Amino acid sequence: MNRLLLNCDMGESFGTWRMGLDEEVMPYVDCANIACGFHASDPLTMRRTVRLAVDHGVCIGAHPAYPDLVGFGRRSMNCSTDEVEAFVLYQIGALDGICRAEGGRVSYVKPHGALYNDMMRQPPLLRAVMTAVHRYDPELPLMLLARRDNAATEAMARELDLPLLFEAFADRAYDAQGYLLGRDQPGAVHHQPERILEQALRLARGEPLVTAGGPLMLQADTLCVHGDNPESVAVVRQIAEALGAPSRA
């Protein structure tokens, strides 16, 4: 069983609108991907979430996105590479400023939603994101999707001397090449707790996942879990216990 780091998207509330169960999930994860204001969150939410992560000793990652509050960052946007690089720099800096004020630091970057998916299919966008992370801090790892073949991504990162963290998902369905199925496709998101736990364990054991195009092997450093409903929280706890993650409750 591989000890995969557990990461979770957090700080995605906005004003009086609430998203996620951050307080319940934080004790069971290693890494918190905190929204930076472009797809969700606001300065107060960011600060509260950073404090929560610092109090639990959880590693903080910037979770930048397209500027799409209405669509929760899940809609692709026709942005230039210069715009994407600037967007990512802006969001890392905003979160890192709050982290420093609260005794923490941004320790990695994981793009969100459509930006995450678009950069995995469009090398110029991926290079723009990598360049932004490297220019902010060349020691910051970029967290991105583990696929069947990561050679081109690894080669691009080597050009910039940028560390990578490859990520797999416990509650998402994949195609045969390791891309996530779009959320508009049937079965793209797993909702059954037993299925989510089973997929997490298969990934940790290095076993293939089942896709419509055949078996898929993924080599990952970290596993994304979601905690936006009570059932998910229960699964997060079970996954953490199965993988031997230290409880911070």
Side-chain angles (χ1 to χ4, degrees):
M1 184 87 71
N2 295 323
R3 173 63 176 96
L4 298 177
L5 296 173
L6 298 184
N7 78 80
C8 187
D9 301 347
M10 294 188 174
E12 293 186 316
S13 299
F14 183 74
T16 60
W17 182 77
R18 290 290 175 260
M19 173 72 171
L21 299 170
D22 295 354
E23 289 83 2
E24 290 86 345
V25 175
M26 193 70 79
Y28 301 104
V29 300
D30 301 289
C31 307
N33 318 315
I34 299 180
C36 303
F38 272 36
H39 77 280
S41 202
D42 57 77
L44 284 176
T45 298
M46 291 164 68
R47 193 173 193 184
R48 283 194 296 264
T49 311
V50 166
R51 285 175 174 170
L52 186 65
V54 170
D55 288 346
H56 285 84
V58 170
C59 187
I60 296 171
H63 199 37
Y66 286 129
D68 180 26
L69 276 174
V70 173
F72 199 66
R74 289 180 175 164
R75 302 181 295 187
S76 294
M77 299 183 70
N78 186 21
C79 298
S80 70
T81 55
D82 285 344
E83 287 176 309
V84 168
E85 185 177 333
F87 292 161
V88 173
L89 278 170
Y90 184 94
Q91 292 173 83
I92 298 172
L95 184 65
D96 198 34
I98 291 176
C99 286
R100 292 181 185 224
E102 298 300 329
R105 284 295 305 273
V106 167
S107 298
Y108 65 93
V109 178
K110 174 192 169 180
H112 165 82
L115 177 58
Y116 182 95
N117 291 318
D118 288 351
M119 76 180 192
M120 298 310 304
R121 293 182 179 273
Q122 301 177 43
L125 284 185
L126 179 57
R127 184 175 291 275
V129 172
M130 285 187 175
T131 300
V133 175
H134 183 268
R135 287 184 173 175
Y136 189 86
D137 182 345
E139 296 184 0
L140 282 184
L142 174 65
M143 188 180 292
L144 75 181
L145 186 66
R147 295 170 295 174
R148 179 184 294 277
D149 183 0
N150 300 307
T153 300
E154 291 172 323
M156 188 182 296
R158 281 195 298 272
E159 289 181 33
L160 294 170
D161 195 24
L162 182 72
L164 300 177
L165 287 170
F166 283 103
E167 173 183 45
F169 289 78
D171 60 355
R172 294 295 304 274
Y174 288 84
D175 68 17
Q177 299 306 312
Y179 291 99
L180 299 176
L181 293 187
R183 287 178 177 267
D184 58 345
Q185 298 185 45
V189 180
H190 304 325
H191 295 287
Q192 305 89 344
E194 298 80 8
R195 185 172 186 182
I196 296 170
L197 179 59
E198 177 189 7
Q199 183 155 309
L201 295 178
R202 292 184 72 86
L203 288 163
R205 293 175 182 141
E207 298 173 353
L209 302 183
V210 177
T211 76
L216 172 67
M217 290 292 297
L218 297 175
Q219 298 293 323
D221 304 299
T222 180
L223 181 69
C224 183
V225 292
H226 291 100
D228 52 5
N229 60 59
E231 292 76 16
S232 294
V233 174
V235 176
V236 170
R237 184 168 59 248
Q238 292 176 44
I239 293 172
E241 291 171 352
L243 297 183
S247 175
R248 299 175 175 86

